[in-house]
mmCIF file of all heavy atoms in Angstrom:
data_model
loop_
_atom_site.group_PDB
_atom_site.id
_atom_site.type_symbol
_atom_site.label_atom_id
_atom_site.label_comp_id
_atom_site.label_asym_id
_atom_site.label_seq_id
_atom_site.Cartn_x
_atom_site.Cartn_y
_atom_site.Cartn_z
ATOM 1 N N LEU A 1 -26.096 15.567 4.485
ATOM 2 C CA LEU A 1 -26.695 15.830 5.790
ATOM 3 C C LEU A 1 -27.289 14.559 6.398
ATOM 4 O O LEU A 1 -27.145 14.293 7.597
ATOM 5 C CB LEU A 1 -27.764 16.914 5.663
ATOM 6 C CG LEU A 1 -27.252 18.328 5.389
ATOM 7 C CD1 LEU A 1 -28.408 19.279 5.123
ATOM 8 C CD2 LEU A 1 -26.399 18.836 6.546
ATOM 9 N N VAL A 2 -27.951 13.763 5.566
ATOM 10 C CA VAL A 2 -28.537 12.513 6.067
ATOM 11 C C VAL A 2 -27.437 11.515 6.425
ATOM 12 O O VAL A 2 -27.526 10.802 7.432
ATOM 13 C CB VAL A 2 -29.504 11.915 5.022
ATOM 14 C CG1 VAL A 2 -30.106 10.606 5.539
ATOM 15 C CG2 VAL A 2 -30.624 12.901 4.704
ATOM 16 N N MET A 3 -26.373 11.464 5.625
ATOM 17 C CA MET A 3 -25.263 10.560 5.933
ATOM 18 C C MET A 3 -24.563 10.952 7.236
ATOM 19 O O MET A 3 -24.110 10.080 7.985
ATOM 20 C CB MET A 3 -24.269 10.540 4.769
ATOM 21 C CG MET A 3 -24.758 9.764 3.561
ATOM 22 S SD MET A 3 -23.548 9.733 2.216
ATOM 23 C CE MET A 3 -22.164 8.894 3.004
ATOM 24 N N VAL A 4 -24.472 12.235 7.504
ATOM 25 C CA VAL A 4 -23.895 12.691 8.770
ATOM 26 C C VAL A 4 -24.720 12.156 9.938
ATOM 27 O O VAL A 4 -24.182 11.621 10.919
ATOM 28 C CB VAL A 4 -23.823 14.227 8.815
ATOM 29 C CG1 VAL A 4 -23.564 14.713 10.235
ATOM 30 C CG2 VAL A 4 -22.732 14.736 7.887
ATOM 31 N N GLU A 5 -26.037 12.263 9.833
ATOM 32 C CA GLU A 5 -26.915 11.777 10.899
ATOM 33 C C GLU A 5 -26.802 10.266 11.074
ATOM 34 O O GLU A 5 -26.712 9.750 12.197
ATOM 35 C CB GLU A 5 -28.362 12.179 10.601
ATOM 36 C CG GLU A 5 -29.395 11.651 11.592
ATOM 37 C CD GLU A 5 -29.220 12.197 13.007
ATOM 38 O OE1 GLU A 5 -28.470 13.185 13.184
ATOM 39 O OE2 GLU A 5 -29.812 11.620 13.930
ATOM 40 N N LEU A 6 -26.780 9.539 9.964
ATOM 41 C CA LEU A 6 -26.678 8.086 10.045
ATOM 42 C C LEU A 6 -25.305 7.657 10.556
ATOM 43 O O LEU A 6 -25.184 6.700 11.335
ATOM 44 C CB LEU A 6 -26.952 7.462 8.674
ATOM 45 C CG LEU A 6 -26.989 5.938 8.608
ATOM 46 C CD1 LEU A 6 -28.002 5.368 9.604
ATOM 47 C CD2 LEU A 6 -27.321 5.471 7.193
ATOM 48 N N GLY A 7 -24.266 8.352 10.131
ATOM 49 C CA GLY A 7 -22.928 8.025 10.605
ATOM 50 C C GLY A 7 -22.775 8.244 12.101
ATOM 51 O O GLY A 7 -22.062 7.490 12.775
ATOM 52 N N ALA A 8 -23.435 9.264 12.631
ATOM 53 C CA ALA A 8 -23.391 9.511 14.067
ATOM 54 C C ALA A 8 -24.210 8.476 14.832
ATOM 55 O O ALA A 8 -23.866 8.084 15.942
ATOM 56 C CB ALA A 8 -23.907 10.911 14.370
ATOM 57 N N THR A 9 -25.303 8.023 14.211
ATOM 58 C CA THR A 9 -26.182 7.046 14.861
ATOM 59 C C THR A 9 -25.594 5.640 14.848
ATOM 60 O O THR A 9 -25.682 4.900 15.819
ATOM 61 C CB THR A 9 -27.554 7.034 14.158
ATOM 62 O OG1 THR A 9 -28.132 8.345 14.238
ATOM 63 C CG2 THR A 9 -28.495 6.032 14.810
ATOM 64 N N MET A 10 -24.981 5.258 13.712
ATOM 65 C CA MET A 10 -24.364 3.933 13.574
ATOM 66 C C MET A 10 -22.921 4.104 13.105
ATOM 67 O O MET A 10 -22.625 3.944 11.915
ATOM 68 C CB MET A 10 -25.156 3.072 12.589
ATOM 69 C CG MET A 10 -26.577 2.771 13.025
ATOM 70 S SD MET A 10 -27.460 1.731 11.818
ATOM 71 C CE MET A 10 -26.539 0.204 11.948
ATOM 72 N N PRO A 11 -22.014 4.484 14.000
ATOM 73 C CA PRO A 11 -20.624 4.755 13.597
ATOM 74 C C PRO A 11 -19.846 3.461 13.372
ATOM 75 O O PRO A 11 -19.179 2.944 14.275
ATOM 76 C CB PRO A 11 -20.075 5.550 14.787
ATOM 77 C CG PRO A 11 -20.867 5.066 15.959
ATOM 78 C CD PRO A 11 -22.223 4.717 15.443
ATOM 79 N N VAL A 12 -19.939 2.907 12.170
ATOM 80 C CA VAL A 12 -19.254 1.660 11.844
ATOM 81 C C VAL A 12 -18.330 1.894 10.661
ATOM 82 O O VAL A 12 -18.605 2.718 9.778
ATOM 83 C CB VAL A 12 -20.255 0.530 11.500
ATOM 84 C CG1 VAL A 12 -21.091 0.185 12.710
ATOM 85 C CG2 VAL A 12 -21.152 0.916 10.329
ATOM 86 N N ALA A 13 -17.218 1.158 10.616
ATOM 87 C CA ALA A 13 -16.306 1.233 9.482
ATOM 88 C C ALA A 13 -16.978 0.638 8.250
ATOM 89 O O ALA A 13 -17.683 -0.361 8.334
ATOM 90 C CB ALA A 13 -15.019 0.470 9.790
ATOM 91 N N GLY A 14 -16.771 1.264 7.090
ATOM 92 C CA GLY A 14 -17.392 0.771 5.868
ATOM 93 C C GLY A 14 -18.901 0.936 5.900
ATOM 94 O O GLY A 14 -19.636 0.073 5.411
ATOM 95 N N GLY A 15 -19.377 2.040 6.465
ATOM 96 C CA GLY A 15 -20.804 2.234 6.676
ATOM 97 C C GLY A 15 -21.641 2.168 5.420
ATOM 98 O O GLY A 15 -22.798 1.729 5.468
ATOM 99 N N LEU A 16 -21.115 2.608 4.280
ATOM 100 C CA LEU A 16 -21.909 2.615 3.056
ATOM 101 C C LEU A 16 -22.435 1.224 2.707
ATOM 102 O O LEU A 16 -23.514 1.091 2.126
ATOM 103 C CB LEU A 16 -21.080 3.165 1.886
ATOM 104 C CG LEU A 16 -20.905 4.673 1.843
ATOM 105 C CD1 LEU A 16 -19.925 5.062 0.749
ATOM 106 C CD2 LEU A 16 -22.238 5.370 1.629
ATOM 107 N N VAL A 17 -21.673 0.178 3.041
ATOM 108 C CA VAL A 17 -22.124 -1.193 2.803
ATOM 109 C C VAL A 17 -22.824 -1.767 4.030
ATOM 110 O O VAL A 17 -23.846 -2.435 3.919
ATOM 111 C CB VAL A 17 -20.933 -2.090 2.406
ATOM 112 C CG1 VAL A 17 -21.374 -3.542 2.263
ATOM 113 C CG2 VAL A 17 -20.326 -1.614 1.095
ATOM 114 N N ARG A 18 -22.307 -1.493 5.198
ATOM 115 C CA ARG A 18 -22.839 -2.133 6.400
ATOM 116 C C ARG A 18 -24.162 -1.533 6.862
ATOM 117 O O ARG A 18 -24.981 -2.233 7.473
ATOM 118 C CB ARG A 18 -21.791 -2.077 7.512
ATOM 119 C CG ARG A 18 -20.573 -2.941 7.171
ATOM 120 C CD ARG A 18 -19.474 -2.821 8.199
ATOM 121 N NE ARG A 18 -19.866 -3.373 9.487
ATOM 122 C CZ ARG A 18 -19.116 -3.270 10.576
ATOM 123 N NH1 ARG A 18 -17.961 -2.617 10.520
ATOM 124 N NH2 ARG A 18 -19.522 -3.788 11.714
ATOM 125 N N TRP A 19 -24.406 -0.245 6.599
ATOM 126 C CA TRP A 19 -25.717 0.314 6.941
ATOM 127 C C TRP A 19 -26.851 -0.418 6.229
ATOM 128 O O TRP A 19 -27.793 -0.869 6.881
ATOM 129 C CB TRP A 19 -25.755 1.812 6.621
ATOM 130 C CG TRP A 19 -24.858 2.661 7.469
ATOM 131 C CD1 TRP A 19 -24.484 2.438 8.762
ATOM 132 C CD2 TRP A 19 -24.228 3.880 7.079
ATOM 133 N NE1 TRP A 19 -23.649 3.434 9.203
ATOM 134 C CE2 TRP A 19 -23.474 4.347 8.187
ATOM 135 C CE3 TRP A 19 -24.214 4.633 5.918
ATOM 136 C CZ2 TRP A 19 -22.734 5.519 8.151
ATOM 137 C CZ3 TRP A 19 -23.474 5.808 5.873
ATOM 138 C CH2 TRP A 19 -22.744 6.243 6.984
ATOM 139 N N PRO A 20 -26.828 -0.549 4.895
ATOM 140 C CA PRO A 20 -27.921 -1.284 4.253
ATOM 141 C C PRO A 20 -27.938 -2.766 4.612
ATOM 142 O O PRO A 20 -29.006 -3.385 4.610
ATOM 143 C CB PRO A 20 -27.670 -1.083 2.751
ATOM 144 C CG PRO A 20 -26.252 -0.670 2.634
ATOM 145 C CD PRO A 20 -25.934 0.070 3.895
ATOM 146 N N LEU A 21 -26.783 -3.354 4.947
ATOM 147 C CA LEU A 21 -26.770 -4.752 5.373
ATOM 148 C C LEU A 21 -27.565 -4.907 6.661
ATOM 149 O O LEU A 21 -28.360 -5.846 6.814
ATOM 150 C CB LEU A 21 -25.330 -5.223 5.574
ATOM 151 C CG LEU A 21 -25.158 -6.678 6.021
ATOM 152 C CD1 LEU A 21 -25.631 -7.633 4.941
ATOM 153 C CD2 LEU A 21 -23.705 -6.962 6.395
ATOM 154 N N HIS A 22 -27.392 -3.980 7.600
ATOM 155 C CA HIS A 22 -28.104 -4.047 8.871
ATOM 156 C C HIS A 22 -29.588 -3.696 8.722
ATOM 157 O O HIS A 22 -30.425 -4.268 9.427
ATOM 158 C CB HIS A 22 -27.466 -3.090 9.889
ATOM 159 C CG HIS A 22 -26.116 -3.529 10.368
ATOM 160 N ND1 HIS A 22 -25.821 -4.826 10.703
ATOM 161 C CD2 HIS A 22 -24.964 -2.819 10.569
ATOM 162 C CE1 HIS A 22 -24.560 -4.918 11.092
ATOM 163 N NE2 HIS A 22 -24.013 -3.714 11.018
ATOM 164 N N THR A 23 -29.919 -2.760 7.843
ATOM 165 C CA THR A 23 -31.301 -2.271 7.785
ATOM 166 C C THR A 23 -32.156 -2.955 6.729
ATOM 167 O O THR A 23 -33.382 -3.029 6.895
ATOM 168 C CB THR A 23 -31.324 -0.756 7.513
ATOM 169 O OG1 THR A 23 -30.676 -0.488 6.251
ATOM 170 C CG2 THR A 23 -30.619 0.018 8.621
ATOM 171 N N SER A 24 -31.535 -3.455 5.652
ATOM 172 C CA SER A 24 -32.336 -3.979 4.541
ATOM 173 C C SER A 24 -31.972 -5.397 4.127
ATOM 174 O O SER A 24 -32.685 -5.991 3.322
ATOM 175 C CB SER A 24 -32.203 -3.053 3.317
ATOM 176 O OG SER A 24 -32.699 -1.764 3.607
ATOM 177 N N GLY A 25 -30.861 -5.918 4.599
ATOM 178 C CA GLY A 25 -30.532 -7.296 4.285
ATOM 179 C C GLY A 25 -29.453 -7.448 3.235
ATOM 180 O O GLY A 25 -28.913 -6.478 2.693
ATOM 181 N N ARG A 26 -29.167 -8.713 2.914
ATOM 182 C CA ARG A 26 -28.012 -9.051 2.090
ATOM 183 C C ARG A 26 -28.184 -8.673 0.628
ATOM 184 O O ARG A 26 -27.224 -8.293 -0.039
ATOM 185 C CB ARG A 26 -27.727 -10.544 2.229
ATOM 186 C CG ARG A 26 -26.362 -10.943 1.730
ATOM 187 C CD ARG A 26 -26.004 -12.324 2.221
ATOM 188 N NE ARG A 26 -25.925 -12.370 3.673
ATOM 189 C CZ ARG A 26 -24.871 -11.963 4.365
ATOM 190 N NH1 ARG A 26 -23.812 -11.487 3.738
ATOM 191 N NH2 ARG A 26 -24.849 -12.042 5.675
ATOM 192 N N LEU A 27 -29.398 -8.793 0.067
ATOM 193 C CA LEU A 27 -29.590 -8.448 -1.348
ATOM 194 C C LEU A 27 -29.315 -6.978 -1.593
ATOM 195 O O LEU A 27 -28.585 -6.607 -2.520
ATOM 196 C CB LEU A 27 -31.008 -8.819 -1.797
ATOM 197 C CG LEU A 27 -31.394 -8.411 -3.227
ATOM 198 C CD1 LEU A 27 -30.402 -8.962 -4.242
ATOM 199 C CD2 LEU A 27 -32.814 -8.874 -3.548
ATOM 200 N N VAL A 28 -29.895 -6.118 -0.773
ATOM 201 C CA VAL A 28 -29.663 -4.676 -0.920
ATOM 202 C C VAL A 28 -28.188 -4.357 -0.709
ATOM 203 O O VAL A 28 -27.586 -3.585 -1.464
ATOM 204 C CB VAL A 28 -30.545 -3.886 0.068
ATOM 205 C CG1 VAL A 28 -30.187 -2.403 0.051
ATOM 206 C CG2 VAL A 28 -32.016 -4.068 -0.272
ATOM 207 N N ALA A 29 -27.565 -4.969 0.308
ATOM 208 C CA ALA A 29 -26.152 -4.704 0.586
ATOM 209 C C ALA A 29 -25.261 -5.190 -0.549
ATOM 210 O O ALA A 29 -24.226 -4.576 -0.835
ATOM 211 C CB ALA A 29 -25.744 -5.374 1.895
ATOM 212 N N THR A 30 -25.655 -6.287 -1.212
ATOM 213 C CA THR A 30 -24.876 -6.776 -2.344
ATOM 214 C C THR A 30 -24.884 -5.768 -3.482
ATOM 215 O O THR A 30 -23.844 -5.476 -4.089
ATOM 216 C CB THR A 30 -25.428 -8.123 -2.841
ATOM 217 O OG1 THR A 30 -25.329 -9.088 -1.792
ATOM 218 C CG2 THR A 30 -24.654 -8.626 -4.049
ATOM 219 N N LEU A 31 -26.048 -5.214 -3.791
ATOM 220 C CA LEU A 31 -26.155 -4.220 -4.855
ATOM 221 C C LEU A 31 -25.389 -2.953 -4.500
ATOM 222 O O LEU A 31 -24.656 -2.388 -5.326
ATOM 223 C CB LEU A 31 -27.622 -3.905 -5.133
ATOM 224 C CG LEU A 31 -28.411 -5.006 -5.851
ATOM 225 C CD1 LEU A 31 -29.907 -4.795 -5.692
ATOM 226 C CD2 LEU A 31 -28.043 -5.034 -7.327
ATOM 227 N N VAL A 32 -25.541 -2.489 -3.264
ATOM 228 C CA VAL A 32 -24.835 -1.279 -2.829
ATOM 229 C C VAL A 32 -23.327 -1.524 -2.799
ATOM 230 O O VAL A 32 -22.543 -0.692 -3.265
ATOM 231 C CB VAL A 32 -25.334 -0.831 -1.446
ATOM 232 C CG1 VAL A 32 -24.471 0.312 -0.905
ATOM 233 C CG2 VAL A 32 -26.791 -0.393 -1.524
ATOM 234 N N GLY A 33 -22.917 -2.680 -2.267
ATOM 235 C CA GLY A 33 -21.499 -2.992 -2.210
ATOM 236 C C GLY A 33 -20.865 -3.058 -3.588
ATOM 237 O O GLY A 33 -19.748 -2.576 -3.803
ATOM 238 N N THR A 34 -21.608 -3.635 -4.547
ATOM 239 C CA THR A 34 -21.103 -3.684 -5.918
ATOM 240 C C THR A 34 -20.952 -2.282 -6.490
ATOM 241 O O THR A 34 -19.951 -1.962 -7.147
ATOM 242 C CB THR A 34 -22.046 -4.510 -6.799
ATOM 243 O OG1 THR A 34 -22.158 -5.835 -6.267
ATOM 244 C CG2 THR A 34 -21.541 -4.583 -8.231
ATOM 245 N N GLY A 35 -21.947 -1.429 -6.233
ATOM 246 C CA GLY A 35 -21.895 -0.066 -6.752
ATOM 247 C C GLY A 35 -20.720 0.718 -6.217
ATOM 248 O O GLY A 35 -19.965 1.345 -6.979
ATOM 249 N N ILE A 36 -20.519 0.685 -4.900
ATOM 250 C CA ILE A 36 -19.432 1.473 -4.324
ATOM 251 C C ILE A 36 -18.085 0.863 -4.678
ATOM 252 O O ILE A 36 -17.092 1.569 -4.872
ATOM 253 C CB ILE A 36 -19.612 1.604 -2.790
ATOM 254 C CG1 ILE A 36 -18.778 2.771 -2.255
ATOM 255 C CG2 ILE A 36 -19.273 0.325 -2.067
ATOM 256 C CD1 ILE A 36 -19.201 4.126 -2.752
ATOM 257 N N TRP A 37 -18.035 -0.460 -4.794
ATOM 258 C CA TRP A 37 -16.787 -1.122 -5.175
ATOM 259 C C TRP A 37 -16.349 -0.708 -6.574
ATOM 260 O O TRP A 37 -15.208 -0.314 -6.795
ATOM 261 C CB TRP A 37 -16.972 -2.633 -5.081
ATOM 262 C CG TRP A 37 -15.821 -3.445 -5.589
ATOM 263 C CD1 TRP A 37 -14.487 -3.123 -5.535
ATOM 264 C CD2 TRP A 37 -15.892 -4.708 -6.242
ATOM 265 N NE1 TRP A 37 -13.731 -4.123 -6.102
ATOM 266 C CE2 TRP A 37 -14.566 -5.102 -6.547
ATOM 267 C CE3 TRP A 37 -16.938 -5.557 -6.586
ATOM 268 C CZ2 TRP A 37 -14.286 -6.306 -7.188
ATOM 269 C CZ3 TRP A 37 -16.652 -6.755 -7.218
ATOM 270 C CH2 TRP A 37 -15.344 -7.110 -7.519
ATOM 271 N N ILE A 38 -17.274 -0.761 -7.540
ATOM 272 C CA ILE A 38 -16.918 -0.381 -8.907
ATOM 273 C C ILE A 38 -16.562 1.100 -8.973
ATOM 274 O O ILE A 38 -15.595 1.503 -9.626
ATOM 275 C CB ILE A 38 -18.063 -0.710 -9.881
ATOM 276 C CG1 ILE A 38 -18.267 -2.227 -9.960
ATOM 277 C CG2 ILE A 38 -17.780 -0.148 -11.270
ATOM 278 C CD1 ILE A 38 -19.463 -2.642 -10.786
ATOM 279 N N ALA A 39 -17.337 1.935 -8.272
ATOM 280 C CA ALA A 39 -17.054 3.374 -8.288
ATOM 281 C C ALA A 39 -15.665 3.668 -7.737
ATOM 282 O O ALA A 39 -14.941 4.510 -8.273
ATOM 283 C CB ALA A 39 -18.125 4.121 -7.484
ATOM 284 N N TYR A 40 -15.271 2.977 -6.658
ATOM 285 C CA TYR A 40 -13.953 3.203 -6.070
ATOM 286 C C TYR A 40 -12.847 2.541 -6.884
ATOM 287 O O TYR A 40 -11.757 3.091 -7.046
ATOM 288 C CB TYR A 40 -13.913 2.660 -4.635
ATOM 289 C CG TYR A 40 -14.612 3.531 -3.614
ATOM 290 C CD1 TYR A 40 -15.349 4.648 -3.999
ATOM 291 C CD2 TYR A 40 -14.555 3.230 -2.259
ATOM 292 C CE1 TYR A 40 -15.989 5.433 -3.063
ATOM 293 C CE2 TYR A 40 -15.196 4.013 -1.313
ATOM 294 C CZ TYR A 40 -15.914 5.112 -1.717
ATOM 295 O OH TYR A 40 -16.544 5.899 -0.793
ATOM 296 N N ALA A 41 -13.108 1.302 -7.374
ATOM 297 C CA ALA A 41 -12.070 0.574 -8.112
ATOM 298 C C ALA A 41 -11.724 1.244 -9.434
ATOM 299 O O ALA A 41 -10.625 1.043 -9.965
ATOM 300 C CB ALA A 41 -12.518 -0.868 -8.363
ATOM 301 N N THR A 42 -12.653 2.041 -9.978
ATOM 302 C CA THR A 42 -12.380 2.728 -11.239
ATOM 303 C C THR A 42 -11.729 4.092 -11.023
ATOM 304 O O THR A 42 -11.458 4.798 -11.992
ATOM 305 C CB THR A 42 -13.670 2.908 -12.058
ATOM 306 O OG1 THR A 42 -14.674 3.537 -11.250
ATOM 307 C CG2 THR A 42 -14.191 1.564 -12.537
ATOM 308 N N ASN A 43 -11.456 4.453 -9.750
ATOM 309 C CA ASN A 43 -10.731 5.701 -9.519
ATOM 310 C C ASN A 43 -9.301 5.639 -10.039
ATOM 311 O O ASN A 43 -8.870 6.557 -10.754
ATOM 312 C CB ASN A 43 -10.747 6.061 -8.036
ATOM 313 C CG ASN A 43 -9.934 7.296 -7.722
ATOM 314 O OD1 ASN A 43 -8.731 7.227 -7.517
ATOM 315 N ND2 ASN A 43 -10.582 8.445 -7.681
ATOM 316 N N PRO A 44 -8.508 4.582 -9.729
ATOM 317 C CA PRO A 44 -7.142 4.549 -10.271
ATOM 318 C C PRO A 44 -7.063 4.623 -11.791
ATOM 319 O O PRO A 44 -6.244 5.386 -12.317
ATOM 320 C CB PRO A 44 -6.585 3.230 -9.712
ATOM 321 C CG PRO A 44 -7.331 3.025 -8.437
ATOM 322 C CD PRO A 44 -8.722 3.503 -8.736
#
């Protein structure tokens, strides 16, 4: 529900990484980007 609201407010591609980059900076975005990258890369 919160992601729906944020996605409507800041509709950007790759929002899971770019939202924290815009709101919290590069360190937070680096940690989040690493997390989602590993989670997705381990799907195959």
Side-chain angles (χ1 to χ4, degrees):
L1 289 173
V2 180
M3 286 181 61
V4 166
E5 176 64 14
L6 185 55
T9 301
M10 297 181 66
V12 295
L16 283 173
V17 176
R18 293 176 67 186
W19 293 330
L21 180 66
H22 290 317
T23 60
S24 298
R26 195 165 297 279
L27 175 55
V28 173
T30 299
L31 288 162
V32 172
T34 301
I36 199 65
W37 173 33
I38 294 174
Y40 284 7
T42 53
N43 176 275

